[in-house]
Amino acid sequence: MFQAVATPASLSKDEYDALEPALRTDLLGAQIQLIEEKPFSVVIVIAGVDGAGKNEAIARLQEWMDVRHVICNAYDVPSEDERHRPPLWRYWRDLPAKGQTSIVVSSWYNAPLRDRVLGEIDEAELNRRLTAINRFEQLLVDEGVLVLKFWFSLPPDVQKERLKPLKKKARGRRILAEWTDVRRSAKAQRIFEHAALTTSTAAAPWMVIPSQDPQARDLALGRCVEMALTKRLATTPPAEADEAAPATAPRLAPCGPSNALASVDLTRSLDKDLYQEELEHWQAELAHLTDKKAFRDMSLVLAFEGNDAAGKGGAIRRVTRPLDPRRYRVHRIAAPAEEELARPYLWRFWRRAPRLGHTAIFDRSWYGRVLVERVEGYCSEADWRRAYGEINEFEAELGEADTLVVKFWLAISKQEQLARFEAREQIPYKQFKITEDDWRNRLKWDAYAEAAEEMIARTSTPRAPWNVVAAEDKRHARVTVLRTLCDALKRTM
C-alpha cells in the first residue's frame, strides 16, 4: 500500500502558484456551504510517520479554510480525568457539531499502534482493537459524520534525513515518540500497513499522502478534503435518502406469552413492615459496597426504563439515599437539546460516562432510540434497527473500561398506569408528573410494549443484562432494585 506511493510527487513553485488559488476558492466555497446548511459534520484524521510534515500540512489547510469553524484536537498522554474513563470517551467528547470540522491528531489509532510496535500487545489484541475502531467509525458515518482519514507517507531513507535536524533541535528533550523512532521503522511500517488495510473501509477509507514534497503534499490534502466535501454536499442527506430497503437486522419472531414482559408476575408485593426492614438492609449494603476501596477502581452506570408512572423516580431516590452525593449524578434524559441533535445520538451519553469511583444514574437513557424515537417516528427504521448493535457496543466499551452497567425495566399493567395517572391529576404536589404527552403515549401502549420486548431481547447481554422488575407494588420494586444492584456489585468487586 505505502510502496505504491514511494515515487516522489513534486511541484515546481510556478506549478504550485498556478494551482493554489483555484483550490483555495473551491475548498472555501464548499466549507461555506457546509457552515450555512449544516447537513453534517466533518472529522479529518491525520496520521503517518514522523518527519512527514503533518503539522505544516494542517497549518496550511487551516489557512485555506475559515478557521473559526475548524477545531484541531491533538491528543497527548491521557490526563487523569481521561484515564478514569473509557478510552473512546475523549474522542466522543470532542465530536464537532453539524457544520463544523474537527482535525484529529494522535487519534484513536495511536494507542493500539504504539502498543503493538513496542510489543506490549500481540497481533490478536491489535486486531481486536482495530475491529472496535471500525465499529466506532461506522457508527459515526451512519450518524451522518463525514470521516476522512489521511496517512502521510515517507520512504525510510527520507524520513531518516528529515529527523536528523529535529533530533539536534531537541537537545536531549523528547519531541519524538519512542515507538516511531527510525530504528523501528521496518517493524512499524509493517504494522502501520496492516492497520491501514484493516481499517480502510468503504465508510471511512484511508487516503495516502506522499510527503516528500511539501507543496505537493499540502495541495493533495486540500484537494482531497475539497472533493470529499463537494461530493457529500451534492449527495442526498442520509435522512432524506430512499429507505425502501434499509440494511437492517432481522426481525424477532413472535415469542408468545413466554417473553420477558408478559411473563413477569405483577402481583408480587411486600408487606409495609418488612419493606422498611428490607429497605434499610439493602441501603446499608449499598453504602458498604460503594465505600469499599475496590469501588474506587470501577465506575457504575444505572439505566432506568419502564412504563410511564412505573415508579422510576421513587426507585432512584432509594438508590441515591445511601450514596456519597459527591460521587454520583442523576441524569434525567428528555428530548435532545440543539447541541445534542447536531451530533451522533450516543454523544450525549458518552459525555456523561462517569469516572472511576463514581456513579451515573440515567432516568431514561440511550434506549430512547429504540423506544420513543422508534414508536413516535423521530428516527428512521434503519436508524433504530441499527441502534441495537450500537448500544451493545457502547455498553461493551463501558464494561471493558471497568464500568458496571446495570439496567432496570420497571413494569406495570395498563390498568395500574391509568390509576396512577388519575391519582397524579388529583394530588397537587404530583400534578407536575402528568403531562399531555403521557396521555398521548398511553394510546400507543401496544406499540411501546412491542418495542420494549424487542429491545430487551436484543440488548440483554451477559455483560449488561436487563432486570425486569414487577412494579405494581412500589415497595417490592424499590427493594428489588436495591437487592439486584447490590448483587451485581458483589459479583463484580
Side-chain angles (χ1 to χ4, degrees):
M1 178 178 175
F2 298 141
Q3 286 78 4
V5 293
T7 303
S10 61
L11 290 173
S12 68
K13 184 178 185 304
D14 289 343
E15 289 173 323
Y16 176 83
D17 291 341
L19 293 171
E20 184 197 25
L23 169 59
R24 294 185 66 168
T25 300
D26 294 343
L27 179 59
L28 188 58
Q31 187 197 11
I32 289 173
Q33 184 180 349
L34 173 71
I35 294 167
E36 292 177 346
E37 298 179 5
K38 296 180 174 57
F40 55 88
S41 60
V42 182
V43 170
I44 301 174
V45 176
I46 301 293
V49 299
D50 283 327
K54 299 186 290 292
N55 290 341
E56 292 84 351
I58 291 169
R60 186 70 61 86
L61 184 65
Q62 290 180 309
E63 178 185 334
W64 291 341
M65 301 177 74
D66 185 340
V67 75
R68 295 172 299 176
H69 300 274
V70 179
I71 300 171
C72 185
N73 292 307
Y75 299 94
D76 202 340
V77 177
S79 66
E80 181 183 359
D81 196 37
E82 292 167 342
R83 287 197 305 272
H84 284 76
R85 286 185 166 89
L88 284 177
W89 176 78
R90 58 178 178 170
Y91 306 117
W92 273 97
R93 175 196 61 194
D94 295 338
L95 286 179
K98 291 179 179 178
Q100 304 294 306
T101 298
S102 171
I103 300 174
V104 182
V105 185
S106 299
S107 68
W108 40 90
Y109 286 95
N110 265 43
L113 290 178
R114 172 199 173 277
D115 292 349
R116 181 64 185 126
V117 171
L118 295 181
E120 296 179 3
I121 61 173
D122 59 17
E123 187 171 346
E125 175 61 16
L126 173 64
N127 289 336
R128 188 194 69 80
R129 294 198 199 179
L130 295 178
T131 300
I133 286 173
N134 281 343
R135 291 194 295 264
F136 169 56
E137 292 176 349
Q138 182 66 56
L139 188 155
L140 296 183
V141 171
D142 288 339
E143 286 291 299
V145 180
L146 176 60
V147 178
L148 305 176
K149 302 186 302 191
F150 297 97
W151 185 274
F152 286 64
S153 179
L154 275 180
D157 57 335
V158 177
Q159 183 193 22
K160 186 175 181 179
E161 291 301 314
R162 290 269 185 95
L163 295 182
K164 282 181 180 178
L166 290 178
K167 290 182 176 180
K168 290 180 181 178
K169 185 178 180 181
R171 293 180 181 177
R173 293 179 292 111
R174 274 184 55 191
I175 62 171
L176 299 174
E178 75 279 10
W179 61 282
T180 58
D181 191 281
V182 71
R183 292 172 297 176
R184 296 184 173 89
S185 177
K187 179 181 179 182
Q189 189 84 349
R190 291 194 301 270
I191 293 171
F192 296 165
E193 180 146 353
H194 169 74
L197 290 171
T198 302
T199 59
S200 191
T201 63
W206 280 103
M207 289 168 272
V208 181
I209 304 291
S211 303
Q212 295 93 317
D213 179 79
Q215 295 185 138
R217 175 199 65 204
D218 296 351
L219 282 177
L221 175 63
R223 184 56 74 183
C224 284
V225 172
E226 180 274 321
M227 290 174 64
L229 279 173
T230 300
K231 181 179 179 180
R232 177 64 181 275
L233 288 165
T235 304
T236 304
E240 301 174 10
D242 180 15
E243 295 178 356
T248 63
R251 290 179 181 270
L252 283 177
C255 300
S258 62
N259 53 32
L261 295 184
S263 60
V264 65
D265 182 6
L266 296 179
T267 65
R268 301 189 67 178
S269 61
L270 194 62
D271 175 80
K272 187 175 182 180
D273 292 334
L274 182 57
Y275 163 71
Q276 197 59 42
E277 179 183 331
E278 289 283 287
L279 179 67
E280 292 175 2
H281 168 77
W282 290 111
Q283 285 183 330
E285 183 72 3
L286 180 59
H288 171 67
L289 290 168
T290 54
D291 281 342
K292 280 188 170 183
K293 184 178 180 181
F295 188 73
R296 299 295 180 263
D297 296 324
M298 61 176 290
S299 56
L300 178 62
V301 166
L302 304 182
F304 284 86
E305 296 284 355
N307 306 111
D308 290 335
K312 294 181 291 297
I316 290 171
R317 285 195 297 275
R318 272 66 183 184
V319 168
T320 59
R321 181 70 60 81
L323 299 180
D324 183 341
R326 299 167 299 177
R327 293 183 173 271
Y328 77 82
R329 292 287 184 275
V330 177
H331 304 287
R332 185 178 181 276
I333 303 301
E338 183 178 351
E339 68 165 353
E340 295 168 337
L341 287 172
R343 293 173 172 86
Y345 80 98
L346 282 175
W347 176 77
R348 63 174 174 161
F349 304 107
W350 265 105
R351 66 199 292 253
R352 291 177 168 94
R355 56 180 294 160
L356 296 180
H358 290 244
T359 299
I361 302 172
F362 291 87
D363 182 354
R364 301 294 188 188
S365 68
W366 43 95
Y367 285 98
R369 172 57 58 102
V370 296
L371 289 172
V372 64
E373 292 185 40
R374 165 184 172 170
V375 174
E376 302 297 337
Y378 296 150
C379 68
S380 69
E381 181 177 349
D383 286 338
W384 64 257
R385 287 199 176 279
R386 189 183 69 243
Y388 297 120
E390 295 168 349
I391 287 170
N392 287 339
E393 177 68 14
F394 168 52
E395 293 173 353
E397 291 282 349
L398 293 178
E400 290 175 8
D402 298 315
T403 300
L404 173 62
V405 180
V406 186
K407 304 180 300 193
F408 296 100
W409 178 274
L410 272 59
I412 58 175
S413 67
K414 192 174 183 179
Q415 295 74 23
E416 177 64 18
Q417 185 190 65
L418 176 61
R420 293 185 183 185
F421 276 11
E422 291 175 340
R424 286 179 174 183
E425 288 191 324
Q426 298 302 317
I427 302 174
Y429 65 84
K430 288 189 176 183
Q431 288 174 355
F432 77 95
K433 291 185 176 183
I434 187 74
T435 67
E436 289 299 321
D437 285 342
D438 294 326
W439 286 107
R440 183 176 57 80
N441 292 344
R442 179 174 161 76
L443 299 176
K444 299 180 180 180
W445 176 278
D446 292 340
Y448 275 102
E450 178 184 355
E453 285 287 3
E454 188 166 3
M455 173 198 76
I456 291 170
R458 292 193 179 279
T459 60
S460 194
T461 63
R463 189 186 289 275
W466 275 102
N467 300 282
V468 180
V469 178
E472 297 248 322
D473 181 81
K474 293 181 180 180
R475 294 189 291 267
H476 169 268
R478 292 164 183 172
V479 168
T480 300
V481 165
L482 282 164
R483 182 178 63 249
T484 303
L485 174 55
C486 289
D487 288 346
L489 281 167
K490 284 186 280 189
R491 288 193 301 270
T492 303
M493 297 172 70

